[in-house]
Amino acid sequence: MRISQRLRVALTAGLVLAGTVLGWSPARAAEVGTESRSLPSFNGSVYAVAFRGSTVYVGGNFTAATTHGRRVARARLAAFDATSGELLDWAPTADRTVRALATIGDAVYAAGDFGTVSGVERDALARFDAGTGELDEFAHEVDGSPRALAISQGRLFLGGDFTAVDGEERSRLAAFRLGDGELDEDWTPSADAPVYALATAGRRVYLGGSFHRTNNVASTRRLSAVDARSGALVRGFRPQPAAVVYAVAVDGDGVYAGLGGLGGRAESWTLDGRPRWSRTFDGDVQAVAALDGTAYVGGHFDRACTSPDMDKFGDCVDDSRSRVKLAAIDGDGDLTDWAPQANGVQGVRALTASPSLGVIAAGGDFTMIGGDTHHRVATFN
């Protein structure tokens, strides 16, 4: 049974965004290659990846990395160089799963299930020196489970399934000032169910999840945007995707989301919420990144459907193309030829892009890319 069947949200088969054409047509080639350079391997899942220059930080539930045939301890946090592929000495530790990472300046933020990092108590949130890995004094109490981080407008934004931070009521969303590290008492938007993904652009914070109301406003389900300074709902952006949103990305062309549901979908909207395109897969899309106008998506799908029609098992009804755990979609909504072909049941859990390097980094549960061994991380130049 596909995992998407267990996670599915009721979705009418054949649903298609108004005005979106899903026929099969020749597509431009993706900009990045399909082969990954040799990288360290990890002995457990990678849930989060984040760039800082040429450094890729990874978080997950692994306890060791293997590099050049040598096994070294890396307790749920690690870093490697995207240019050389070398494992770096950066090695703080966490006692439980790291689910989200974000970087800015000389800081790396982590969120997850942990209660202790580098031997010091930290309740689900921590901040490290990007060079040395040293833990600093940034510390907060989170009543629930963080799932996503993003940075913009002098703030660190947190999303997840929590009800309070530092004893202050917060409904699945919170912000911290980067300057002093304190909880922003004036930023108090809310969601009525878990927030799984965050993305920022300008003064907007985009939210993806299983919620139906944002700031207690109806018809703001699963994907919405709030102001990064005031927390007010951006009322002009109401795409209302038909299934749970696991991943969100944004660029100058629009907003991209990875969806679950019956099968799975990757969808895009303009910045004012008008549909651009929708593509259907035979499994959840749980990661998305945008680079040079192309959307890169990952998940636990095996096929990209040529129409939106799905059967009751979440399989493509019409023709399909092999896209095992990874695929790319151009600005017109056409599937590109990019097909690295990963493996595993869960497949790809996280994707991020570095525009300056022209690199996509992937993390997850896969152990192969294109028939070559790549344990849980990969980069595509």
Side-chain angles (χ1 to χ4, degrees), residues 50-88:
F51 277 100
R52 175 182 175 266
S54 64
T55 299
V56 181
Y57 297 90
V58 298
N61 65 4
F62 51 85
T63 57
T66 300
T67 179
H68 301 298
R70 182 172 60 94
R71 183 183 175 97
V72 294
R74 289 293 187 273
R76 302 172 183 88
L77 288 160
F80 63 87
D81 187 275
T83 303
S84 67
E86 292 298 314
L87 183 71
L88 302 180

Side-chain angles (χ1 to χ4, degrees), residues 3 6 22 38 64 85 96 144-145 159 165 182 216-217 240 247 253 306 315 329 340 353 378-379:
I3 291 174
R6 296 198 296 269
L22 279 176
S38 179
R96 294 184 65 188
S145 303
V165 176
E182 295 300 314
N216 204 31
V217 175
Q240 300 188 54
D253 296 322
T306 57
D315 292 321
I329 304 157
T379 56

Side-chain angles (χ1 to χ4, degrees), residues 5-370:
Q5 291 175 247
R6 296 198 296 269
L7 297 175
R8 71 180 50 161
V9 175
L11 179 64
T12 302
L15 183 66
V16 60
L17 290 175
T20 302
V21 179
L22 279 176
W24 194 267
S25 59
R28 296 187 298 271
E31 293 296 325
V32 301
T34 59
E35 295 183 2
S36 174
R37 69 165 60 252
S38 179
L39 299 173
S41 64
F42 294 90
N43 69 341
S45 302
V46 171
Y47 284 86
V49 287
F51 277 100
R52 175 182 175 266
S54 64
T55 299
V56 181
Y57 297 90
V58 298
N61 65 4
F62 51 85
T63 57
T66 300
T67 179
H68 301 298
R70 182 172 60 94
R71 183 183 175 97
V72 294
R74 289 293 187 273
R76 302 172 183 88
L77 288 160
F80 63 87
D81 187 275
T83 303
S84 67
E86 292 298 314
L87 183 71
L88 302 180
D89 292 336
W90 194 83
T93 64
D95 64 339
R96 294 184 65 188
T97 303
V98 173
R99 297 189 179 274
L101 294 170
T103 68
I104 186 169
D106 293 328
V108 177
Y109 292 88
D113 304 335
F114 51 82
T116 301
V117 290
S118 299
V120 180
E121 289 187 3
R122 287 291 186 272
D123 184 12
L125 276 174
R127 183 171 63 193
F128 306 95
D129 184 278
T132 66
E134 182 179 357
L135 177 70
D136 76 4
E137 296 179 354
F138 178 79
H140 297 275
E141 295 181 0
V142 181
D143 188 2
S145 303
R147 295 297 295 269
L149 292 171
I151 294 174
S152 182
Q153 301 292 316
R155 295 170 176 83
L156 172 74
F157 299 100
L158 177 69
D161 190 14
F162 52 87
T163 57
V165 176
D166 296 339
E168 300 289 333
E169 182 177 341
R170 290 293 186 275
S171 295
R172 302 173 181 88
L173 292 162
F176 306 88
R177 297 186 296 269
L178 295 181
D180 60 13
E182 295 300 314
L183 178 70
D184 188 334
E185 296 181 354
D186 298 323
W187 199 81
T188 58
S190 64
D192 65 348
V195 173
Y196 295 128
L198 297 174
T200 58
R203 281 194 51 166
R204 290 186 180 185
V205 182
Y206 294 90
L207 328 170
S210 59
F211 52 86
H212 283 73
R213 287 175 174 262
T214 308
N215 290 1
N216 204 31
V217 175
S219 301
T220 57
R221 62 177 180 266
R222 303 186 183 103
L223 181 62
S224 60
V226 297
D227 189 276
R229 295 180 184 175
S230 69
L233 180 70
V234 178
R235 293 183 176 270
F237 182 77
R238 292 195 183 188
Q240 300 188 54
V244 58
V245 172
Y246 291 121
V248 180
V250 61
D251 64 10
D253 296 322
V255 181
Y256 309 86
L259 282 64
L262 185 63
R265 292 176 185 269
E267 297 184 342
S268 180
W269 299 266
T270 64
L271 298 178
D272 58 3
R274 291 180 290 111
R276 295 178 65 209
W277 51 257
S278 177
R279 295 227 65 98
T280 305
F281 296 84
D282 69 345
D284 291 348
V285 177
Q286 48 197 24
V288 60
L291 181 64
D292 296 334
T294 296
Y296 295 86
V297 299
H300 54 78
F301 51 82
D302 295 325
R303 310 289 297 181
C305 308
T306 57
S307 82
D309 299 326
M310 309 295 293
D311 65 20
K312 64 180 180 180
F313 302 108
D315 292 321
C316 306
V317 168
D318 299 312
D319 196 13
S320 63
R321 298 292 184 271
S322 176
R323 293 293 186 272
V324 186
K325 317 308 179 193
L326 288 162
I329 304 157
D330 70 17
D332 296 324
D334 293 323
L335 196 72
T336 77
D337 294 332
W338 191 73
Q341 309 293 70
N343 71 339
V345 177
Q346 282 285 357
V348 174
R349 294 181 182 269
L351 288 171
T352 191
S354 170
S356 62
L357 296 178
V359 175
I360 296 288
D365 290 271
F366 54 86
T367 57
M368 306 285 286
I369 298 286

